[in-house]
Amino acid sequence: MTAELVRGQNHPLSQARVEIRVSAGTPVLALASACDDTGRLAGPESVAHPGARSLPGLEVPETVAGEHRFAVDLDAVAPSVHRLGVVLVLPPGGPARFGAVPASYVAVADPEGAELAGYTLTGLDAETAVVALELYRRQGAWKVRAVGQGYAGGLGALLADAGLGAPAATALADVATGMVPSGDITLAALPTAAPPTVPHGVRAPQDAAAGAAPATPPPPLPAPGVPYPGTPGAAAGPASADTIGGPPTIDYAHPRRRRTTTEPPEPGPRAVPSPEADRAPDPVAGDASGWSLEERLYNQVWGMFEDLARSVAAYRSACDFAESRMDRELDEALSDPRHRLGGSGNAARDAARARHDELVAQAKAVLDRDLAQLVAESEVVEPALPAPYARWANPVWHGHAVPEEAPLALRLGDLHLPERPDLRIPMLVRAPLERGLWIDNGRTGSEAAMTMDTDRLRRAAMDMAVAHAVRLLAVHPGGRFSVHVIDAAGAGTASLAPLVAAGVLAGPPAAGATGVTGTLEALTRRVDLVQMAVRAGAPEDLPPDVDLADQLLIVHDFPHGFDDRAVTRLRYLADEGPAVGVHLLMVADRDEASAYGPLLDPLWRSLMRLSPVPDNHLADPWVGHAWTFEPDLPPPGSRVLEQTLERIAAHRRDARP
C-alpha cells in the first residue's frame, strides 16, 4: 500500500534497491543531488544532471520528459553521502513557473514495481526548480522524506542554498539546464565552498529584480525523449540571466479537492494585484463530486477531514524542523571555541532562537489561514447536512420524515484536534455498518472517564447507544430496520424507556440468562439461514418467519448473563453478522470481561470503540493524528428523540395493512 506523504513527512525504506518515479504536469528535467549530513554539497560533482548523469548508486535520465524513472541502489551510495535529493527543474522555453502547470507527483517504488511512498507537490507558484523528495540515512537505515522546497531563482538558487559558491552554482545550473555545453566550463576550477549567508533550508533574500529579462531568448523546448542540450553531443543554447526568488508560498490544500484560491495571473508589465483575486471564494455546501447532494456532502466532509489532517501535519512537521534546526545551531554555537572565548555565544543563541520563532510563526500563519477557511466551510456545510449526517441539535430533525431510501452514511459523533478544538469534523461512517460498535463504559479507557462517577458514566454510555439506535431507525425506510436489546440485569431501563414507550423495538428487552440465550439463538439462526440462501442463489426461498429487515442488537452490561455458549454466539454475530445485515452495538466495560482472558480479544478488535466522554483514541488514515472523539447527544432538555420516535411509530401504524 502506498504511503501518501505530506510536506515534511517521512517513511522508512525497507529495501536498498528502489525506483524513483516522476509524473510531472509538463516536461521537466530530473536531477539528483548527493549531500552530507548537514545538507551541503561537496562540489559540482555531487549533482547528477544530463551533462553528467551518474553518481554512485544512481543514474538520472538524459532527456526532458513528463515521465521519468530511474533506479537507485542505496547500498552503493558513498558513505559520506547522507541525503539524496530528487530535483525537478523546468527547462528553458517551457512554462515559466510550476504554479502554471498541474501538480507533479513523485514516488518511490520497490524493484517489483509496487509504490512504497508518494508525494504530490502542491503549493508551488513562481518556482522553477524544486527539491521534491529526499532519501536520507538515519542510524544506518534509509528513509524517504517529502520536501517540496521550491526556488523562484531556479536551479542556481537551489544549488547555492545547498552550499555551492555563486559562480559554481550558476555555471552548473547553466550546464544542467542546457544553457551551455558541458565541455565549455571547467566546474572543478570554480569556488564551491563559500559559507552561506543564511541557515541551510532558508532561501537567501531577493538580490535581483524578479522577472528580469533574459540576456538572450532561451532555446526552444525539446520534445519529450529527445536528448537535452547539455548532454554530451547535444546542441547547446545561449546563456540567460538568473535571479534568486523571495520566500516560498506554501499551500497545503490536497490536490484531490477543488482549489479554493484563484490562480494568480501570469506576470507581465500590466499585472496589478487585486484584493478580490487573492480572496478565497465563499464556501458552498456540496462543493464536491458525487451523483447526489447527499453523496457530495459526504465527500465534502471527508475532504475537510483530510484537509485538516494534512494542514496540521504540515504545521507540526514545520515546528519539528524548526526545533531540530535550532538545536543543531545551538550545538554548533556551544561547540565553537570562538563563541566561548569571544563572548559571542549569547548572540549566536539569540539568533538561532529568533530563526526558530520566525519559522514557527510562518507555519502558524499558514495553519491559521487554512483553519479559517475550514471554519468558514464548516459553518456553511453543517446546517446543510441531511438527518443521517446532522447533529441532534440541527433543525432538520424537527421536520424529518421517514425516508424512502437507506442512507449513504451515518454520523457517530464529532472529531477535532488540539490546534483548533472548536473546529468539529463530523465522524461519518458508511452504511450499512461494516463493523460493530463498542461503547466503552469503563473508567480506565480515558482520563475523562476516570474523573467521572461510575453510575453517570454507565448512564451516559447507554444514552449514547439509544441515540444511535434512534438515528438508525429514523434514517431507514419503515420496516427496514429492527432493534433488539439484551439488558440481562435491567440496569439500562431508564435509558431504554423512550424506545420501549414508543413501541419500536422488535420485542421487550431480553433479561436474565434465558432472555440472552433466546435472543442470540434467534439472530444466529437468521445469519445461518441468510448465508445458506445467498450461497445457494435463492434468497427468495427463506422461511416466512425470517425477518428480512436489517437487525441491530444492543448488548448492555456484557458479560452479565452470558455463559460460554452465549459468548461464542456473540462472537459469531460480530464476525458474520454485518455481511448479512445483523449489526452489533455493545455497551460494556472490557475489564469486567477479563475473566475470559484472550478468548475475547478478537471480539474487541472486531468492534469500533467509541467513548461516551471525550477521548483521543481514534486516528485518521492519512497521517495518523490522534483525534479527540466526542459523542453527539441531544441537547439537555430537548425532546428531539421522543418526537423522532413518535414519528417513527406513527409511520409504522399507518403502514400496517
Side-chain angles (χ1 to χ4, degrees):
M1 182 177 179
T2 305
E4 189 175 0
L5 305 180
V6 297
R7 181 170 176 165
Q9 188 180 3
N10 60 53
H11 186 75
L13 297 176
S14 58
Q15 304 188 37
R17 294 181 179 271
V18 296
E19 182 182 61
I20 304 298
R21 298 177 176 179
V22 177
S23 178
T26 185
V28 297
L29 283 167
L31 284 62
S33 61
C35 302
D36 61 16
D37 57 348
T38 64
R40 303 290 297 277
L41 291 167
E45 69 278 3
S46 299
V47 179
H49 55 84
R53 297 172 53 204
S54 298
L55 287 174
L58 64 88
E59 183 174 289
V60 299
E62 66 176 353
T63 60
V64 56
E67 303 280 345
H68 291 290
R69 291 191 179 191
F70 60 95
V72 178
D73 184 357
L74 297 174
D75 287 340
V77 175
S80 59
V81 174
H82 290 259
R83 302 184 186 182
L84 291 175
V86 178
V87 179
L88 305 183
V89 182
L90 290 175
R97 55 198 177 89
F98 273 109
V101 298
S104 300
Y105 177 76
V106 185
V108 180
D110 62 20
E112 289 74 31
E115 290 190 359
L116 305 175
Y119 172 48
T120 302
L121 282 79
T122 58
L124 298 178
D125 187 8
E127 295 84 351
T128 59
V130 59
V131 181
L133 288 180
E134 182 179 74
L135 308 182
Y136 66 101
R137 199 195 311 253
R138 179 66 55 83
Q139 297 179 348
W142 286 91
K143 296 183 178 182
V144 57
R145 174 163 43 218
V147 181
Q149 176 65 62
Y151 294 80
L155 183 58
L158 185 153
L159 296 175
D161 190 36
L164 290 186
T170 302
L172 180 55
D174 288 342
V175 171
T177 56
M179 301 304 295
V180 297
S182 58
D184 288 1
I185 296 179
T186 304
L187 296 174
L190 295 170
T192 62
T197 57
V198 293
H200 174 66
V202 178
R203 281 186 280 169
Q206 188 169 348
D207 62 359
T216 55
L221 180 68
V226 176
Y228 198 74
T231 304
S240 66
D242 192 17
T243 61
I244 297 178
T249 301
I250 303 174
D251 181 7
Y252 298 110
H254 194 264
R256 286 200 296 265
R257 295 200 69 215
R258 299 185 182 183
R259 293 186 64 83
T260 54
T261 57
T262 57
E263 182 69 21
E266 292 287 342
R270 296 183 179 274
V272 179
S274 169
E276 291 298 321
D278 294 335
R279 186 178 65 87
D282 294 333
V284 178
D287 186 19
S289 60
W291 291 101
S292 63
L293 179 59
E294 183 182 12
E295 184 178 2
R296 294 198 299 271
L297 287 168
Y298 173 83
N299 291 333
Q300 186 173 14
V301 168
W302 267 88
M304 294 165 58
F305 185 20
E306 183 175 0
D307 279 356
L308 180 56
R310 295 187 184 281
S311 295
V312 171
Y315 169 71
R316 293 178 180 178
S317 178
C319 291
D320 291 342
F321 169 75
E323 190 74 24
S324 63
R325 196 182 73 167
M326 182 182 70
D327 292 342
R328 185 179 70 248
E329 292 177 350
L330 290 176
D331 290 341
E332 292 174 355
L334 293 174
S335 62
D336 192 339
R338 295 174 298 176
H339 291 161
R340 294 198 300 268
L341 298 177
S344 59
N346 291 335
R349 286 191 291 270
D350 292 343
R353 294 190 179 97
R355 285 189 288 268
H356 166 272
D357 295 343
E358 181 182 3
L359 284 178
V360 172
Q362 291 175 354
K364 186 63 167 59
V366 173
L367 177 67
D368 290 342
R369 178 203 66 193
D370 292 345
L371 292 181
Q373 180 178 329
L374 286 170
V375 167
E377 190 172 8
S378 177
E379 291 174 349
V380 172
V381 170
E382 188 69 51
L385 295 177
Y389 307 169
R391 292 192 179 108
W392 284 111
N394 193 313
V396 71
W397 286 105
H398 297 304
H400 176 68
V402 176
E404 297 181 358
E405 295 182 356
L408 177 69
L410 298 166
R411 185 175 192 150
L412 299 182
D414 294 335
L415 298 169
H416 62 85
L417 290 172
E419 281 76 6
R420 189 67 186 263
D422 61 320
L423 177 54
R424 306 297 177 91
I425 303 296
M427 180 180 173
L428 304 181
V429 295
R430 292 298 291 263
L433 300 176
E434 297 179 356
R435 299 172 60 188
L437 303 176
W438 163 35
I439 300 177
D440 188 357
N441 64 2
R443 299 184 66 245
T444 59
S446 65
E447 295 182 2
M450 294 179 65
T451 61
M452 196 170 183
D453 177 76
T454 301
D455 292 337
R456 288 180 54 212
L457 181 64
R458 291 177 179 271
R459 175 63 186 268
M462 196 58 188
D463 288 345
M464 180 178 170
V466 170
H468 282 314
V470 175
R471 183 185 294 268
L472 283 167
L473 289 169
V475 300
H476 281 84
R480 290 278 300 275
F481 219 94
S482 296
V483 178
H484 306 260
V485 176
I486 291 179
D487 186 21
T493 302
S495 297
L496 293 169
L499 291 173
V500 175
V504 296
L505 294 177
T514 302
V516 171
T517 301
T519 302
L520 293 177
E521 183 177 356
L523 291 175
T524 302
R525 173 177 176 268
R526 182 193 183 278
V527 171
D528 290 338
L529 291 174
V530 173
Q531 283 183 339
M532 288 188 292
V534 171
R535 290 168 184 166
E540 67 279 357
D541 293 337
L542 285 167
D545 62 332
V546 174
D547 187 359
L548 299 181
D550 283 359
Q551 312 289 312
L552 174 68
L553 173 61
I554 301 176
V555 179
H556 184 227
D557 270 355
F558 174 82
H560 188 84
F562 282 73
D563 55 19
D564 292 345
R565 185 176 180 83
V567 170
T568 301
R569 283 175 169 163
L570 186 67
R571 288 186 52 188
Y572 176 74
L573 291 178
D575 294 337
E576 303 294 334
V580 291
V582 177
H583 308 282
L584 185 61
L585 175 53
M586 297 263 300
V587 183
D589 180 0
R590 184 170 181 172
D591 291 343
E592 292 185 354
S594 59
Y596 288 93
L599 176 66
L600 289 181
D601 286 349
L603 173 64
W604 303 118
R605 286 196 298 267
S606 69
L607 304 175
M608 178 186 294
R609 177 178 173 267
L610 302 176
S611 173
V613 293
D615 191 13
N616 59 348
H617 65 284
L618 295 174
D620 63 79
W622 301 287
V623 293
H625 290 317
W627 293 74
T628 299
F629 169 83
E630 291 195 21
D632 177 45
L633 298 174
S638 172
R639 296 192 68 253
V640 62
L641 288 187
E642 289 79 0
Q643 293 170 353
T644 302
L645 287 171
E646 290 172 2
R647 286 192 288 268
I648 296 172
H651 182 273
R652 291 188 175 186
R653 288 193 300 268
D654 295 341
R656 290 173 186 168

